Structure formats: C-alpha cells, structure tokens
Amino acid sequence: MSNTNDGLVPIITALAEGGTATTTVPAYDRKKVTAGLAHIGVGNFHRVHQGVYLDDLLGSRDDHNGWGIVGIGLRDADSSQAKARAYAYKEQDCLYTVTRYTNDGTQTSRIVGSMVEYIYGPADPAAVVARLCDPAIKIVSLTITEGGYNLDEETGEFRLDEPAIAADLTREHPETVFGVLTAALAARRGAGVPPFTVMSCDNLRQNGQTARRAVVGCAKAVNTELASWSESNVAFPNSMVDRIAPTVSEETRENLNLATGIADAVPALTEEYRQWVLEDNFPLGRPAWEDLGVQLRPDVEAFEAIKGRLLNASHMMLSYPAALSGYKWVSEAANDPAIADLLNRFMAVDAAPLVEAPSDVSLTDYMSMVVRRFANPFLPDTVLRVAHDGAAKLPVFHRATAEKLIAIGADPRREALLLAAFRRYTNGVDDHGNSFEVLEPHLEDSDWPLLKSDNPLDALAASPFAAWGLANSPAFVKPYLELVELLEKDGVPVALQYALADSDQ
C-alpha cells in the first residue's frame, strides 16, 4: 500500500510557521480510491465520524479502494456555498483536517482523505441524480438532522404539502433529499441497476425505518409501482451514531489551523469518544466497519433508546437552563454543580428506569460518561447549537420519557422544567437581560403566539408538544406552571432547586 502525501502540499498549504509537524496524512494513495458510498449532508458530524471511520479503513486495508465517499450538498446557503468551494472546486481536493481533544487537553490532528468527490446540488441538480445512478454507488448515507425527514408528527406520513416537496414534484431535476433519492431510484430501476442501500445516520429512533417511510412516501407521489418496488427492494438499515462535533467559528478555525499548521478552510474538531452501532443489511456490500469497532448487531433499537433518552435528552435538558443562565459553552454549563445534578438526576431517576439495556451494557457506566463528555473544556461546543431546533429534537428525545412518567405516576418535574425553559428560551432573552439567537425552523407560524401567550398552558398546544397530551395531566400541569412562574420571577437557580427537590417536598 502506498503511503503518499502527493498532492497535499499544493492543495492544503504546507505547514505554516508556528504550526505542529504532528498532523498525520492519509496512509494510502488517494489516486487509487473511487467512490462507492455517497453521503448527503456533509456537515461536521459526518466528517468526524463516518468520514474518519472510512479514512481509517482505507489506510488499513488494500481491498477497500472502491469505498471512497462522494459528498453531496443540497442546501443553498452561504455556509453550504463556502463548503462547496472548499470541497468541490479543487481548493482542497475534498481534504480536511480533524483535530481531536481529550478532557485533559491532549490534541491529535489528521488530514482525512476518504471523501474523493463533492457535488454541490444547487449549482447542478442534474449531476446529483446522475452520480447516484452509477452502479458503483452501493450506499447512500444521510445526516440531514432530526427534522429533515418531513414526516407528519401525528400520522407518520410523508408530507407532500411541504412547499419544497411540492415544488420538487414538478421539477425536471429535483432538489430536495427525498426528491433526489426517488429520482435516482427510479432511474436505476428503469436501467435494471440494483438499488443502493439508504443508510440514515441521524439521531432518530429507528432511523432506517424513518428513512424508509420518507423515501416510499415521496416515491408514492411519483409512481405507485416505484413506491412498491422501493419498499420491497431498497434496504434501510437502522443505526446509532455518537460523537460530539461542535460548530467551528472563525476564531476556532484560526486556532485549529494554528495548531495543525495547515490553512484549512473547513477544519473540524471532535472528542476522543466515538460509537457506531449498525444493522447489517447491505445487499450490495459494505465496508469492513467491524474492523474498527463498529458494532454490527440486530438490536440497534436498544442502543438508540439509550443514546436518545439519556445522552441526547440530557444535552437538551442542559441547553435551555444553560441558555437562560447566560452560559455560552456546554462545558461551562456541565461544570455548574446544579446543572450537572439536574442531568444526573434526570438520567438516573427519570430516564434510565424506563430504558431496557442489552445485557452487555452498563447504564451506570454510560451515565457517568455523559456528563464527563459534556464537561470537556477543550471542545468549544455552544449551548445554542444544542438548543436550536428544539421543536424537532424535543419530541424525538423527550416525548417517550415524559409520557411514560405521567402514565406510571412518577415525578415529571424535570420534564416540566425542560418545557418551561424552552418556552422562556423562545423569547431570546436570558436571566441577565442579554439577548441570544433563537433558531427554530420547524416551529410553524401558528406556534409562536402559543409560546408567547400569557397563558403558559397554550405553549403545550404548540405543534411539537400537542400530541403529548400534557395539558390533560394535572400531575404535569401543576409543576409546569410553578416552574414557569419561578423562571419568570426568580430565574434558573431557584427553578433548579424546585426541580431537584425530593418528590415529597
């Protein structure tokens, strides 16, 4: 196997003065690598997780040269255009740096070379479908966020009335994720090419089945026969993925590039921890992910429940009290004893007893790891990154726990605090009178008056929460109203005291 640095120096600037010489380069000849996997949504998480896993495989096995990644971007935004320039227009030949920080500040950096192509859909939508029709593409993976699957919260059906989808159904060249997937599958079916596997890597319970409903629902609007064929022939493996990948600000970018000595337009940073549990359902083949510790097992749903209802739920539980307290960084909030106590109490008392873990998994060990990961001071992860799009994330990570607590007559105060804090967060002002950005793209226009109403119960009728039935539970309403009042009059510290008091007080 060739261990070459050919092409790196003219593409990513040579080590800069003051940088380190410890940044590793791909341990394989990228000229020999072709794409077998297409990924839609090349954000920071994909780059530090799946991109790194495949980079490791390409560097350790000579028989994996057909498993490079073709990245696909479909969002027409300034940040997406900047990445397209870096990835697709030969400024960096799809290379990027990943810097990993442990809790004690130990730093290791690498150049990742597993993405060998990049297509920016808004510039050439026809090229996206054409590339996905290539028989060499055996897997199409997705990181499009929890709210990106366009399913109705009540019925679970694919929403054809969403404006972008409605427009896509009239276009010659579709532009949305599921419009593109449907068109590519239709073309492959027509050409007699076996369908690629669709692998969701988003934080959703049964994310494979969620992707199936979205693909089949979109296909049904095009052709019922295509929908039936897709449902019968396309594989949608479930997966659980985990690694913290903070947003990289301009200041962070400069610091990372100083540390690596490389002028990277789109560096990424992450933690030491990583996990991937995957259902082994890939009819056209897959990379040997198990070589790198990926857990290939049929009980993915159990791991999804653990991560979603403990780790992701705790992330959300932290974010709104932290934002209202004026914290900028997740690590600052996680090192606040009261907030750490809130997370530990929520996990141990509320969530963990409702989660059935596999026999070889210790929930006690898992819970102790969660707050420790959040508290890593070397990961500049912002509270608002976690808090944003709560309308999409809260139903995914908290609805099951809240409903079960009410059903069994358990103490719902931590869940009540979460919703009371979310309601207050939507005002965009913290306890000190400072404004912060509120980004809630999945809230409907009709939701905002409910969240800002003088009657706090109206917020429980907003679209993310209406189906939970919380307003009909006196056991939930009483602490919720108390916490709304405490947050408004006394602020987060007093509200936390109430939420953490013994249940008989």
Side-chain angles (χ1 to χ4, degrees), residues 77-273:
D78 291 344
S79 60
S80 302
Q81 293 167 12
K83 288 181 180 179
R85 287 192 294 271
Y87 297 152
Y89 303 138
K90 304 304 179 184
E91 291 183 12
Q92 295 188 186
D93 195 27
C94 298
L95 296 160
Y96 59 92
T97 57
V98 171
T99 298
R100 184 184 68 187
Y101 286 98
T102 63
N103 279 56
D104 65 3
T106 301
Q107 170 237 320
T108 56
S109 300
R110 64 193 290 175
I111 296 170
V112 176
S114 53
M115 185 167 62
V116 294
E117 302 174 41
Y118 186 84
I119 302 173
Y120 184 50
D124 190 355
V128 175
V129 173
R131 191 68 183 89
L132 295 181
C133 291
D134 184 345
I137 301 300
K138 299 176 176 63
I139 301 170
V140 179
S141 56
L142 311 173
T143 47
I144 57 175
T145 77
E146 297 85 356
Y149 289 80
N150 194 44
L151 299 179
D152 185 271
E153 177 73 17
E154 289 295 319
T155 66
E157 297 294 319
F158 189 70
R159 292 184 55 185
L160 299 175
D161 60 343
E162 203 282 325
I165 297 297
D168 236 18
L169 294 174
T170 67
R171 294 186 179 114
E172 179 182 1
H173 302 297
E175 300 176 6
T176 67
V177 173
F178 296 103
V180 162
L181 291 176
T182 298
L185 287 169
R188 288 176 76 120
R189 176 174 177 253
V193 177
F196 44 69
T197 294
V198 177
M199 179 177 70
S200 171
C201 294
D202 281 303
N203 281 320
L204 293 164
R205 296 289 303 277
Q206 296 185 315
N207 55 12
Q209 297 309 309
T210 299
R212 179 192 295 275
R213 289 199 302 274
V215 168
V216 173
C218 188
K220 190 178 295 183
V222 174
N223 183 301
T224 55
E225 291 184 0
L226 175 63
S228 297
W229 178 85
S230 298
E231 190 160 26
S232 300
N233 294 278
V234 181
F236 297 88
N238 292 305
S239 70
M240 190 285 291
V241 295
D242 190 9
R243 200 174 204 187
I244 294 174
T247 300
V248 177
S249 66
E250 180 61 25
E251 179 183 1
T252 300
R253 185 186 73 83
E254 292 176 358
N255 290 336
L256 289 173
N257 288 349
L258 182 63
T260 62
I262 295 172
D264 186 354
V266 283
L269 78 158
T270 190
E271 60 179 332
E272 182 176 20
Y273 182 90

Side-chain angles (χ1 to χ4, degrees), residues 252-491:
T252 300
R253 185 186 73 83
E254 292 176 358
N255 290 336
L256 289 173
N257 288 349
L258 182 63
T260 62
I262 295 172
D264 186 354
V266 283
L269 78 158
T270 190
E271 60 179 332
E272 182 176 20
Y273 182 90
R274 68 179 184 181
Q275 186 181 20
W276 194 355
V277 185
L278 182 60
E279 186 179 6
D280 197 0
N281 183 16
F282 296 87
L284 299 185
R286 59 165 176 79
W289 282 309
E290 67 272 20
D291 285 5
L292 300 172
V294 176
Q295 298 168 268
L296 296 166
R297 49 194 297 166
D299 56 347
V300 173
E301 188 174 358
F303 289 85
E304 293 171 346
I306 292 169
K307 178 174 182 275
R309 294 172 66 175
L310 296 178
L311 185 140
N312 293 123
S314 293
H315 231 169
M316 304 306 293
M317 183 70 72
L318 170 148
S319 67
Y320 301 113
L324 296 176
S325 297
Y327 285 121
K328 178 179 180 181
W329 306 110
V330 170
S331 59
E332 292 177 322
N335 280 292
D336 180 319
I339 292 179
D341 192 9
L342 172 69
L343 302 189
N344 287 321
R345 186 81 63 90
F346 163 72
M347 286 189 289
V349 177
D350 303 336
L354 307 180
V355 173
E356 186 174 347
S359 60
D360 56 345
V361 174
S362 167
L363 289 184
T364 300
D365 291 345
Y366 188 89
M367 289 186 288
S368 67
M369 170 270 296
V370 167
V371 178
R372 185 170 68 250
R373 288 174 63 194
F374 293 170
N376 186 338
F378 299 96
L379 287 183
D381 197 11
T382 64
V383 166
L384 292 181
R385 181 194 75 85
V386 179
H388 285 163
D389 205 13
K393 293 187 280 191
L394 288 173
V396 174
F397 303 135
H398 277 277
R399 177 177 175 178
T401 298
E403 290 180 336
K404 187 64 174 178
L405 289 173
I406 292 170
I408 64 176
D411 184 357
R413 278 179 299 164
R414 266 73 65 182
E415 291 291 348
L417 171 66
L418 176 71
L419 268 64
F422 176 81
R423 173 182 178 270
R424 187 160 177 79
Y425 143 87
T426 59
N427 291 324
V429 180
D430 67 22
D431 285 353
H432 311 288
N434 300 314
S435 299
F436 56 79
E437 181 185 26
V438 175
L439 184 61
E440 290 296 328
H442 288 95
L443 281 179
E444 300 174 3
D445 290 343
S446 58
D447 290 327
W448 290 101
L450 296 173
L451 289 163
K452 295 181 180 297
S453 168
D454 290 337
N455 182 356
L457 294 179
D458 287 344
L460 303 181
S463 61
F465 314 119
W468 302 21
L470 300 175
N472 298 322
S473 168
F476 182 88
V477 167
K478 183 177 184 297
Y480 168 75
L481 292 176
E482 182 71 21
L483 284 159
V484 166
E485 184 175 1
L486 290 174
L487 285 172
E488 291 179 352
K489 292 184 177 180
D490 302 303

